[in-house]
Amino acid sequence: MSQPTLLGLSGSLRQSATNRKLLREAARLFDPASFVEADLNLPLYDGDLEEGEGIPAAVQTLADQIAQADAVIISTPEYNKGPSGVLKNALDWVSRTSGKPWADKPVAVMSAAAGRAGGERAQMVLRAYLVPFQPRILQGPEVHLADSSNAFDDGGRLTSERYEKTIHALMQKLRAEVERL
């Protein structure tokens, strides 16, 4: 395979979110790849909206990006011991599209959070959310970036060699899954 396409989904909409930074660092360590960061700023799932207007264009774009990507990286914050509503909403919407964009897709899951557990609970719940879609979720190494607001330098690079090594190992496993296809 030449240069795979890697899709990143951040559970945070903030432009300077540490989960976005974590995705970008993962893509850098996966390199070489064509990296696309998905836009999860979607309308709230509403069955009446779906029935009346169909699947919103932004949702279909996301489903198409998932289907076309060689692999997906998801990074979630931890809100009240679970993934963000933004991420859950995106998963719910994509589940309503035709086809099975997640089926057999290599997926790496990470989390960045303010707390000392680094979003471990959110990541565990996110993994359960993904099960019905039947992707190939990597089982590790697990990346739970704790105290995430202090984990990056001004250029958005990780400051911890330990975290960088763990993410690099996860990206090498993701690359191996892509190459198996």
Side-chain angles (χ1 to χ4, degrees), residues 10-179:
S10 170
S12 180
L13 296 177
R14 287 183 312 119
Q15 289 302 309
S16 63
T18 56
N19 280 281
R20 286 180 182 268
K21 292 176 183 178
L22 186 57
L23 284 176
R24 293 172 189 147
E25 280 290 86
R28 179 182 67 81
L29 295 168
F30 184 94
D31 194 51
S34 173
F35 178 65
V36 176
E37 194 170 326
D39 181 2
L40 301 189
N41 196 357
L42 307 171
L44 289 175
Y45 176 75
D46 178 345
D48 289 338
L49 174 67
E50 179 185 7
E51 187 177 310
E53 299 177 28
I55 300 295
V59 172
Q60 190 60 56
T61 295
L62 176 60
D64 293 344
Q65 287 175 319
I66 294 166
Q68 293 165 7
D70 294 301
V72 178
I73 308 169
I74 305 173
S75 187
T76 185
E78 184 168 292
Y79 296 161
N80 302 308
K81 309 218 183 290
S84 68
V86 165
L87 189 52
K88 177 67 166 92
N89 184 59
L91 295 175
D92 289 343
W93 263 120
V94 170
S95 75
R96 305 298 297 164
T97 63
S98 62
K100 297 180 179 183
W102 289 105
D104 208 34
K105 184 75 56 183
V107 176
V109 175
M110 304 179 294
S111 53
R116 67 177 179 237
E120 183 176 13
R121 287 181 178 166
Q123 194 177 131
M124 190 172 66
V125 173
L126 174 59
R127 290 170 180 276
Y129 286 167
L130 290 170
V131 168
F133 305 127
Q134 299 181 22
R136 292 197 335 256
I137 304 169
L138 298 182
Q139 298 306 308
E142 294 181 344
V143 176
H144 309 111
L145 185 64
D147 190 23
S148 64
S149 64
N150 294 309
F152 299 91
D153 65 19
D154 291 339
R157 296 286 295 267
L158 283 165
T159 57
S160 167
E161 187 177 315
R162 185 183 93 215
Y163 279 124
E164 188 169 330
K165 283 182 179 180
T166 304
I167 295 166
H168 184 264
L170 180 62
M171 292 301 98
Q172 292 307 103
K173 283 185 75 174
L174 187 60
R175 180 174 287 286
E177 283 297 306
V178 168
E179 291 171 355

